[in-house]
Amino acid sequence: MRMILLGPPGSGKGTLAEALCQRYPFIHVSTGNLFRQHIANGSPLGLEIRSYMDQGELVPDELTVKLVEEVLQDPKIREHFLLDGFPRTQPQAALFDQCLKRLGVKLDAALHVHVPDTLIKQRLGGRRVCQGCGKTYHIESYPEKVSGVCDSCGGAVILRPDDRPEVIEKRLKTYHEITAPLVEYYRKQGNLLEVDNSGSIESVLEQLQHKWPHEEQ
Ligand code: AMP
């Protein structure tokens, strides 16, 4: 099974991806996480993309598609990927189709995760992330036990630069203008599944049980 997750920043794609990987044989590939790793390692790619990410702007298509194509060279990932945060532009989607063709594999589903903007602003504005292990917290619903210190690894828990309120606005605008049209693109391909994630992840999993394209997952 190969699937992509489409949805605005803060729609819970990452958490949903983790839950899906626990239940089904998916391998979670998040382009945002891969980019953050490059930045943390100070790699040449990390240096090139840092300012785009901090400002809430999309990384150029060419760099993004190259990164994804590299990851898909791994045969296991190629068979079971759950792509989170990619594709995000029309050119990325078209290049991704070509890439899948070259690799001889087919996309099974594009899962569109709905969440209203007001809820997203609450979720992202209160989100805090561990710089060490990436674990996420929320100042109201899931705070760390000791303020600023990760419960799991003791790393520093911070506000991601791209979760600042003005950057959240920009990321949402980019999503609606540039990424949201991909929903129609995948609907036309016949691959679209839609769920609402205003409630709990359990409710999304429940919605999905009735929508999977194949019987065997
Ligand atoms: P995310 O963790 O998915 O919210 O991604 C964080 C940031 O990584 C985005 O705001 C972009 O700067 C960059 N990014 C992640 N995925 C993509 C993509 N498919 N295309 C361009 N930029 C991306």
Side-chain angles (χ1 to χ4, degrees):
M1 178 92 172
R2 303 173 201 94
M3 185 158 82
I4 60 165
L5 291 178
L6 284 173
S11 56
K13 298 189 297 296
T15 313
L16 176 60
E18 280 169 27
L20 287 169
C21 288
Q22 281 174 9
R23 286 169 176 76
Y24 305 103
F26 278 123
I27 301 175
H28 180 199
V29 179
S30 151
T31 42
N33 286 350
L34 291 172
F35 284 143
R36 279 186 285 279
Q37 270 166 23
H38 274 280
I39 291 175
N41 297 339
S43 75
L45 177 64
L47 295 175
E48 202 171 344
I49 62 178
R50 178 170 202 145
S51 64
Y52 295 106
M53 289 190 62
D54 284 355
Q55 298 309 314
E57 284 166 16
L58 292 179
V59 172
D61 290 334
E62 200 188 313
L63 294 176
T64 308
V65 175
K66 192 165 161 246
L67 179 85
V68 171
E69 189 150 10
E70 272 168 25
V71 171
L72 294 184
Q73 295 308 312
D74 180 326
K76 260 197 196 150
I77 301 182
R78 191 151 71 220
E79 291 309 313
H80 300 288
F81 64 76
L82 177 56
L83 268 169
D84 160 9
F86 178 90
R88 252 165 149 120
T89 68
Q90 185 70 49
Q92 285 182 18
L95 289 167
F96 182 50
D97 280 348
Q98 290 169 18
C99 166
L100 292 179
K101 216 173 194 175
R102 275 198 298 279
L103 295 171
V105 293
K106 224 181 118 284
L107 187 69
D108 295 299
L111 179 61
H112 177 209
V113 185
H114 289 271
V115 175
D117 281 6
T118 42
L119 188 54
I120 286 175
K121 287 178 199 169
Q122 276 172 28
R123 284 184 182 172
L124 287 186
R127 178 163 77 174
R128 299 293 179 270
V129 185
C130 172
Q131 268 184 317
C133 67
K135 183 168 176 170
T136 55
Y137 297 90
H138 191 278
I139 52 172
E140 280 160 17
S141 55
Y142 184 48
E144 60 279 18
K145 290 188 185 110
V146 177
S147 177
V149 182
C150 178
D151 299 351
S152 298
C153 77
V157 175
I158 58 148
L159 171 70
R160 254 169 57 173
D162 57 346
D163 282 345
R164 286 173 288 147
E166 66 279 16
V167 183
I168 293 174
E169 289 288 348
K170 191 163 165 187
R171 289 166 68 200
L172 279 172
K173 188 165 179 280
T174 304
Y175 175 78
H176 290 298
E177 287 176 5
I178 298 176
T179 308
L182 294 185
V183 172
E184 288 315 309
Y185 181 84
Y186 287 106
R187 198 193 304 279
K188 281 191 190 131
Q189 283 194 358
N191 281 333
L192 192 71
L193 301 179
E194 303 204 68
V195 288
D196 178 87
N197 190 18
S198 314
S200 65
I201 288 292
E202 286 69 33
S203 124
V204 177
L205 296 173
E206 168 70 22
Q207 294 168 53
L208 263 177
Q209 286 204 333
H210 308 287
K211 298 187 182 201
W212 285 119
H214 301 302
E215 277 168 23
E216 81 296 337
Q217 280 95 32

